[in-house]
Amino acid sequence: MFVGAAIPVLAALLLGANAQVHYFQPEQIHLSFGATVEDIVVTWSTFNDTKESIVEYGIGGMVLKAYGNSTVFVDGGKNKHTQYIHRVTLPNLNPKSKYVYHCGSNLGWSPMFWFNTVQNDEDWQPRLAIYGDMGNENAQSLVRLQEETQRGQYDAILHVGDFAYDMNTDNAAVGDQFMRQIESIAGYLPYMTCPGNHEEKYNFSNYRNRFSMPQGTDNMMYSFNLGPLHIISISTEVYYFMNYGLKPLVNQYLWLENDLVEANLPENREKRPWIVVMGHRPMYCSNEDSDDCTHHETLTRVGLPFLHFFGLEKLLYDYGVDLNIWAHEHSYERLWPIYDYKVYNGSYDRPYVNPGAPVHIVTGSAGCKEGTDGFVANKPEWSAFSNSDYGYTRLKAFNKTHLYIEQVSDNKSGAIVDSFWIVKNFHGPYKNSQMDWAKLDSMRLKNF
Ligand SMILES: *[C@@H]1O[C@H](CO)[C@@H](O)[C@H](O)[C@H]1NC(C)=O
Ligand SMILES: *[C@@H]1O[C@H](CO)[C@@H](O)[C@H](O)[C@H]1NC(C)=O
Ligand SMILES: *[C@@H]1O[C@H](CO)[C@@H](O)[C@H](O)[C@H]1NC(C)=O
Ligand SMILES: *[C@@H]1O[C@H](CO)[C@@H](O)[C@H](O)[C@H]1NC(C)=O
Ligand SMILES: *[C@@H]1O[C@H](CO)[C@@H](O)[C@H](O)[C@H]1NC(C)=O
Ligand SMILES: *[C@@H]1O[C@H](CO)[C@@H](O)[C@H](O)[C@H]1NC(C)=O
Ligand SMILES: [Fe+2]
């Protein structure tokens, strides 16, 4: 038995040099939207430098070829685990078409994958799966997401921070595993992300390097248009990891206000009326732990301690953000429309019909080794619904007035445990907002 076990080990040692050929093989293949939804970016890793980064693709057959390049990514751990992250943009794709592709180089190709393109206009109904806090270990929702993705149930996924637990763990081996694990979904549709606290190690370098979000800010903040949705992704972590200084926080605040001004230009808001913000740590939650969202003065909500500069809640209220999506708590929670701890229900006794403030949901129960989080016994008046099952959220934007959201429970075999409509025939700053229209106008002149 001893000898038997030794033979493969010996063989591996002897064949070691040859085995390196396999390091040219593409792996961890995933997609994201490029500058617009007409561009798809294919990202993958190899462990040796292939010199070339190529995607062969097309409708019905791989007749087209696009070239990109790679960057070397060295993890911060003691092994300095090194890989080449390849990025190729497939530009100007035909809408509503099924493309096939594979990626690699003349030193090795991936298996063939496929994806469906969406329309670049606003008159269609985007379908998203949304969740945060999914790890390698105990990724409870992954199986269902794999099934649903490959059956074509979604146009994109939003992963609201906290990946792998953690991508840098074990000299980034856990990150490699995670990216292989999500390939079965992320290789087939755009996998759009924001950073969470589990990405912080080594200055967020595993997160910055492994993904390819639009707008060139190292994936830390960006926005994109999808049908009638304008989706904004931010880092709440700039409020919590002060060891990186104030600059990332201030930069993001200025960038965000600028993006919101642009999204509110009449010609833009008319086309993409739904403004959705995703970020990792919630402003409010009623979980039974001591996370910042259980405190009254949440940093992201009110801004810096004491000074209260750069608080986000007022900004989101003033620019009429419709929906905020957070994670971090390993559970699901839906809030009544809320601003500064006050509930602003909508018309006709229906809280989400023309609500008087943004709607918040927290959806961080996709599954990770830390399990799920419970809730306090006395539910605060602003909490509309909470659930601690493993699961994820589905969003469908029906049109400019109707947005539908539901929560899938993995514990209950995919049953829907919550669902609601947000209905709005006006999108813009909320009634009581102190929006300074003169300032908005001056920013318009300055920026555009
Ligand atoms: C592949 O990378 C390893 C580690 O950097 C290196 O030792 C090896 O020489 C490379 N192999 C080839 C064929 O380039
Ligand atoms: C990488 O590829 C992109 C897309 O082709 C190109 O715009 C960029 O200049 C390239 N970068 C380098 C360093 O070659
Ligand atoms: C973190 O990374 C960013 C982007 O590369 C860089 O600008 C910043 O200086 C880094 N901060 C530290 C403390 O290394
Ligand atoms: C908001 O609406 C919900 C559902 O009708 C209700 O339970 C809650 O009391 C309302 N809150 C306020 C402050 O009106
Ligand atoms: C959900 O299922 C997991 C096992 O898959 C279990 O550990 C957990 O307690 C369940 N959660 C609830 C709220 O029932
Ligand atoms: C928007 O979608 C909702 C839900 O399907 C529907 O009831 C409504 O009539 C639609 N509005 C328009 C203008 O199409
Ligand atoms: Fe988190």
Side-chain angles (χ1 to χ4, degrees):
M1 197 172 134
F2 226 88
V3 176
I7 286 170
V9 175
L10 245 169
L13 284 173
L14 289 171
L15 292 171
N18 282 338
Q20 275 175 5
V21 168
H22 296 291
Y23 288 160
F24 293 116
Q25 189 60 35
E27 58 169 71
Q28 307 175 39
I29 294 140
H30 53 112
L31 305 179
S32 51
F33 289 123
T36 74
V37 298
E38 284 179 337
D39 294 355
I40 291 286
V41 182
V42 186
T43 306
W44 71 93
S45 291
T46 57
F47 293 115
N48 277 91
D49 188 0
T50 61
K51 306 286 196 260
E52 289 179 313
S53 312
I54 308 173
V55 174
E56 295 181 328
Y57 68 107
I59 300 170
M62 301 188 294
V63 294
L64 301 167
K65 226 169 167 158
Y67 295 85
N69 42 47
S70 68
T71 50
V72 189
F73 166 49
V74 183
D75 172 63
K78 71 172 181 344
N79 288 7
K80 302 288 167 228
H81 175 53
T82 299
Q83 62 190 285
Y84 297 81
I85 313 256
H86 303 258
R87 294 187 172 87
V88 174
T89 300
L90 314 182
N92 307 317
L93 300 169
N94 280 349
K96 293 201 283 186
S97 306
K98 180 172 181 168
Y99 280 82
V100 292
Y101 75 97
H102 70 180
C103 61
S105 70
N106 292 321
L107 295 169
W109 294 100
S110 75
M112 192 167 80
F113 292 81
W114 52 262
F115 60 85
N116 290 308
T117 52
V118 298
Q119 295 167 227
N120 198 17
D121 66 359
E122 61 279 11
D123 292 320
W124 62 283
Q125 307 182 325
R127 303 155 307 157
L128 303 173
I130 306 171
Y131 51 84
D133 307 78
M134 189 165 78
N136 281 5
E137 215 178 293
N138 193 28
Q140 291 272 343
S141 303
L142 185 63
V143 183
R144 201 172 301 282
L145 288 163
Q146 288 167 330
E147 280 264 39
E148 293 176 348
T149 296
Q150 304 219 355
R151 289 177 196 278
Q153 207 169 311
Y154 303 114
D155 300 301
I157 281 179
L158 308 182
H159 187 144
V160 192
D162 280 4
F163 304 79
Y165 289 74
D166 297 349
M167 290 194 283
N168 61 277
T169 300
D170 206 357
N171 289 291
V174 169
D176 290 341
Q177 269 166 33
F178 179 79
M179 298 307 289
R180 286 181 203 120
Q181 184 171 311
I182 62 163
E183 185 184 81
S184 51
I185 49 183
Y188 298 85
L189 47 56
Y191 199 85
M192 308 304 285
T193 60
C194 72
N197 53 302
H198 279 269
E199 281 67 73
E200 183 271 336
K201 205 75 191 284
Y202 315 126
N203 197 0
F204 296 89
S205 62
N206 271 267
Y207 174 77
R208 289 178 200 271
N209 280 279
R210 289 175 187 273
F211 291 102
S212 311
M213 296 302 119
Q215 299 176 353
T217 63
D218 266 3
N219 311 327
M220 302 310 268
M221 54 193 165
Y222 61 92
S223 64
F224 64 105
N225 293 325
L226 189 67
L229 303 167
H230 179 69
I231 300 174
I232 302 175
S233 169
I234 58 169
S235 168
T236 51
E237 303 318 296
V238 296
Y239 288 80
Y240 292 92
F241 292 105
M242 282 298 150
N243 46 320
Y244 297 107
L246 273 183
K247 206 172 146 208
L249 186 162
V250 176
N251 280 348
Q252 175 173 274
Y253 187 92
L254 298 175
W255 173 87
L256 178 59
E257 180 159 27
N258 217 50
D259 193 84
L260 288 168
V261 168
E262 191 172 357
N264 272 292
L265 294 177
E267 63 270 30
N268 291 335
R269 194 86 200 240
E270 163 60 29
K271 274 207 225 157
R272 325 269 186 189
W274 294 104
I275 301 183
V276 177
V277 170
M278 68 189 262
H280 183 62
R281 294 196 218 203
M283 293 184 183
Y284 302 87
C285 68
S286 62
N287 295 85
E288 53 173 1
D289 53 39
S290 58
D291 287 348
D292 200 29
C293 54
T294 65
H295 301 149
H296 198 274
E297 306 257 285
T298 318
L299 290 177
T300 49
R301 196 174 79 76
V302 301
L304 298 174
F306 311 114
L307 298 171
H308 289 182
F309 291 156
F310 308 113
L312 291 178
E313 189 177 35
K314 184 171 188 305
L315 194 64
L316 305 180
Y317 182 73
D318 282 348
Y319 288 98
V321 168
D322 300 289
L323 175 66
N324 295 306
I325 302 171
W326 317 108
H328 192 55
E329 300 306 309
H330 301 160
S331 52
Y332 168 78
E333 186 163 20
R334 165 168 59 85
L335 273 57
W336 300 122
I338 191 169
Y339 177 63
D340 200 17
Y341 274 89
K342 198 167 165 351
V343 170
Y344 292 91
N345 280 343
S347 327
Y348 319 109
D349 279 335
R350 290 174 61 195
Y352 302 116
V353 175
N354 294 321
V359 176
H360 294 244
I361 61 169
V362 181
T363 175
S365 55
C368 69
K369 66 181 180 187
E370 294 175 356
T372 53
D373 293 333
F375 291 88
V376 293
N378 290 325
K379 199 204 263 302
E381 61 147 19
W382 41 260
S383 178
F385 178 85
S386 57
N387 179 274
S388 292
D389 292 353
Y390 287 112
Y392 52 92
T393 305
R394 294 191 189 121
L395 180 153
K396 184 169 179 183
F398 275 76
N399 50 40
K400 292 175 183 175
T401 57
H402 286 65
L403 190 81
Y404 175 74
I405 292 171
E406 65 184 18
Q407 180 66 13
V408 180
S409 163
D410 198 68
N411 283 60
K412 300 187 177 66
S413 313
I416 305 304
V417 289
D418 185 41
S419 67
F420 68 108
W421 290 86
I422 306 177
V423 180
K424 282 192 156 187
N425 29 44
F426 169 78
H427 294 265
Y430 293 95
K431 207 169 68 203
N432 300 318
S433 93
Q434 302 295 300
M435 165 64 87
D436 181 347
W437 289 101
K439 180 177 168 196
L440 184 67
D441 270 341
S442 71
M443 285 185 77
R444 269 179 211 168
L445 292 176
K446 198 169 71 206
N447 294 309
F448 311 103

